[in-house]
Amino acid sequence: MRAVVSSEWLKLRSVASTYYALGVAGLMVVLGVVWSVYVSGLADARGSVRAAAPEEGFLPLVQISLAVIGVLAVTAEHATGMIRTSLTVVPARGVLLFAKTAVVTAVTFAAATAVIMTTYAASRLVAGERRLGFNESSFAENVPTLLASALSVTVLAVVGLGLGAAIRSTAGALVSVVSLLFVLPGIANYLPAPWNTRIAALMLPNLTPQLTGERLSRRLGDGILPPWAALLALLAYAAVALGAGLYVLSKRDA
Amino acid sequence: MVRCAGDPPYLILDSVIQLNHLTKRYGDTLAVDDLSFTVEPGHVTGFLGPNGAGKSTTMRLILGLDTPTSGEALVDGRPYTTMRRPMAQVGALLDAGAVHGGRTAYNHLLCLARTNDIGERRVAEVLDLVGLTGVARRRVGGFSLGMRQRLGIAAALLGDPRVLMFDEPVNGLDPDGVRWIRDLMRSLAAEGRTVLLSSHLMSEMALTADRIVIMGRGKLIAEATVEELTTRYPTLEDAYLALTAGSVQFGAAR
């Protein structure tokens, strides 16, 4: 197992797509600074504003770009035929998928945490003493939300990996990930009350606020899941996707 | 003597490839049909048959990439998929294109080596052996087919295995490379290894192989030594054309 994990770690580090995906995720820092400069200007004119926190507003950018790492970890192998070479040297298919999961989890959690924390720090530095809304609580109060955001990024990347193994196509897996993140929650929004909130509470992006007991949105109001249930639901997304991926990888001819 | 389909297989030995009533069906197509034969150590065994005969499928079944519909393929008396470190037992080149083009030759081999706890020194050795040391840090995407064949052979040799399988390794190689493969195959067999080699180049096969297995339409057509075939027929090519006359599925009338 350790040997296969070390191989997967090298696979991830030795292709350019990994660095492009990390670079796009890193754009959150730039966007966060630009946003903070902009709302700081508004605050200087008006005295104070209530602006959204950039590490929350730009979170989908990090979620999508790092989910690409999870998707490509397996679909790039199907696209090139490398999967057959990989399964020849590691015939235990579950071991191969587990090693990929371990590496994708570690890399995306570390990258997401770094990008989110850097954006947090940079935007507060730009804000200084101004009252922008998002900078009026302490770091200790914000830590749970920051970690929940990083966790949601990691789960989405693992979901991408599992769906990639199940669908065996980069485009198909990416469309599925985008659907989970944007399309399905968008549809849930327009269901009649109280079903909009009930269904939306189970949607992947809405689990993040529920992890820390925050409301879903102005439109949907409070979530219905306590933090532990939101955590379970988040992990269930990863487990179901990985289960589907493992099933297809084990049962079907490579 | 020429052993024909239906006769019992040879004795069970170490480092042999043994097929027992191996059958693979894809939908309505019977790709491999009740195939039984044994590949023994110390020889180069040529694996011949028209396009679509089932040679590549047979090799994929031996490596556990595809699951047999019935029957079994054994290496050293066990199914390939039960091997924990298969590279030390079996090396295979099925498809030289089955590599991620964005990875360098060195990193590609190191990714494979790490899965079986093979060190960097061995990676450098096999690169040297196949003559790719000078381009080890170049991306595989820029390699010619001949260079990819050499890379695939390097991967097969990484674990210094007792059993080797090559599917059309000569394709795309220059005359130097063709002779190099011939000498390599013969020296691997002379060291007591089991070598199964498929090719459509009859003149090349006559120079390289000691024994011949001929398949057509998924079935075993003949199993003989090159000497036996060239005694009964003017050349190996004549023997092949006579024996496969009824099994050609794709080709012009002859």
Side-chain angles (χ1 to χ4, degrees):
Chain A
M1 178 57 72
R2 184 201 50 75
V4 184
V5 170
S6 119
S7 164
E8 287 301 325
W9 168 233
L10 178 60
K11 276 186 189 170
L12 206 61
R13 281 191 302 139
S14 57
V15 290
S17 57
T18 304
Y19 300 97
Y20 294 145
L22 289 173
V24 174
L27 279 180
M28 188 207 225
V29 179
V30 178
L31 291 171
V33 168
V34 170
W35 172 249
S36 304
V37 169
Y38 170 68
V39 294
S40 293
L42 292 182
D44 289 342
R46 299 179 195 169
S48 77
V49 290
R50 295 206 54 80
E55 71 277 3
E56 288 176 36
F58 297 118
L59 186 61
L61 176 71
V62 180
Q63 287 172 320
I64 284 294
S65 54
L66 296 186
V68 168
I69 290 182
V71 167
L72 285 181
V74 62
T75 60
E77 295 214 16
H78 280 111
T80 58
M82 177 71 188
I83 189 74
R84 292 191 292 278
T85 308
S86 295
L87 289 175
T88 303
V89 297
V90 185
R93 300 185 177 191
V95 170
L96 186 71
L97 188 62
F98 183 89
K100 285 185 184 296
T101 307
V103 170
V104 166
T105 302
V107 167
T108 55
F109 187 75
T113 306
V115 169
I116 290 167
M117 290 295 183
T118 308
T119 306
Y120 180 92
S123 57
R124 270 64 176 180
L125 276 176
V126 171
E129 297 299 313
R130 300 179 191 88
R131 295 178 59 199
L132 304 179
F134 67 78
N135 66 340
E136 287 168 36
S137 45
S138 71
F139 180 64
E141 288 173 276
N142 295 143
V143 162
T145 299
L146 297 175
L147 290 180
S149 298
L151 183 64
S152 77
V153 173
T154 309
V155 166
L156 196 69
V158 172
V159 166
L161 173 69
L163 292 179
I167 300 169
R168 298 179 166 198
S169 136
T170 307
L174 281 178
V175 166
S176 307
V177 164
V178 169
S179 300
L180 284 176
L181 198 54
F182 298 117
V183 180
L184 294 180
I187 294 170
N189 262 346
Y190 294 102
L191 292 173
W195 287 100
N196 57 355
T197 306
R198 287 179 189 170
I199 302 292
L202 300 172
M203 294 291 141
L204 195 56
N206 294 336
L207 292 171
T208 317
Q210 292 179 98
L211 279 173
T212 51
E214 290 167 44
R215 68 178 188 179
L216 298 181
S217 66
R218 200 172 297 163
R219 181 189 178 99
L220 295 170
D222 288 331
I224 55 170
L225 299 180
W228 63 266
L231 181 64
L232 277 185
L234 202 57
L235 297 179
Y237 270 96
V240 168
L242 278 179
L246 182 62
Y247 179 81
V248 172
L249 190 63
S250 312
K251 296 290 173 195
R252 281 181 50 183
D253 292 338
Chain B
M1 56 132 228
V2 177
R3 192 178 80 82
C4 289
D7 296 351
Y10 290 103
L11 289 173
I12 299 164
L13 294 167
D14 273 349
S15 55
V16 298
I17 303 170
Q18 194 188 358
L19 312 186
N20 298 323
H21 303 290
L22 191 67
T23 301
K24 179 65 180 181
R25 181 184 286 279
Y26 298 106
D28 291 339
T29 315
L30 206 50
V32 176
D33 185 3
D34 197 29
L35 189 65
S36 298
F37 68 81
T38 303
V39 187
E40 290 170 19
H43 312 283
V44 174
T45 302
F47 197 18
L48 309 182
N51 294 120
K55 303 184 298 293
S56 299
T57 304
T58 302
M59 289 187 169
R60 291 156 56 83
L61 289 166
I62 294 169
L63 294 174
L65 292 173
D66 290 9
T67 312
T69 307
S70 64
E72 57 179 1
L74 305 175
V75 181
D76 284 340
R78 48 198 289 219
Y80 186 86
T81 48
T82 62
M83 295 177 185
R84 284 206 52 226
R85 298 226 171 110
M87 291 174 87
Q89 283 162 281
V90 184
L93 166 60
L94 258 53
D95 175 6
V99 291
H100 192 305
R103 216 167 261 131
T104 64
Y106 182 85
N107 278 333
H108 171 70
L109 291 177
L110 190 55
C111 284
L112 302 181
R114 279 192 176 180
T115 61
N116 280 237
D117 276 325
I118 297 165
E120 298 193 30
R121 185 194 288 180
R122 180 64 188 161
V123 172
E125 270 176 28
V126 294
L127 277 166
D128 202 38
L129 189 67
V130 303
L132 290 180
T133 305
V135 293
R137 301 290 176 180
R138 294 237 302 261
R139 287 187 183 178
V140 180
F143 279 19
S144 67
L145 176 56
M147 290 161 84
R148 286 177 194 230
Q149 294 282 26
R150 288 172 183 269
L151 183 66
I153 290 167
L157 295 174
L158 267 174
D160 199 17
R162 303 275 307 156
V163 175
L164 287 143
M165 293 196 294
F166 301 97
D167 196 2
E168 309 269 0
V170 187
N171 288 2
L173 282 174
D174 53 21
D176 255 8
V178 173
R179 169 169 287 190
W180 170 72
I181 293 238
R182 187 194 309 153
D183 294 343
L184 177 70
M185 298 295 138
R186 297 202 62 85
S187 68
L188 290 168
E191 289 164 12
R193 296 177 215 259
T194 304
V195 181
L196 182 64
L197 167 70
S198 89
S199 174
H200 288 303
L201 302 175
M202 288 302 132
S203 51
E204 192 50 43
M205 199 55 108
L207 292 171
T208 312
D210 311 294
R211 308 186 62 84
I212 298 287
V213 173
I214 304 181
M215 263 186 98
R217 294 182 188 266
K219 290 183 198 292
L220 183 69
I221 291 180
E223 196 179 356
T225 65
V226 171
E227 210 185 321
E228 285 162 354
L229 292 172
T230 51
T231 308
R232 280 180 53 189
Y233 300 91
T235 63
L236 183 63
E237 186 179 54
D238 292 316
Y240 170 83
L241 291 174
L243 288 165
T244 59
S247 307
V248 177
Q249 300 175 70
F250 314 107
R254 68 175 189 218

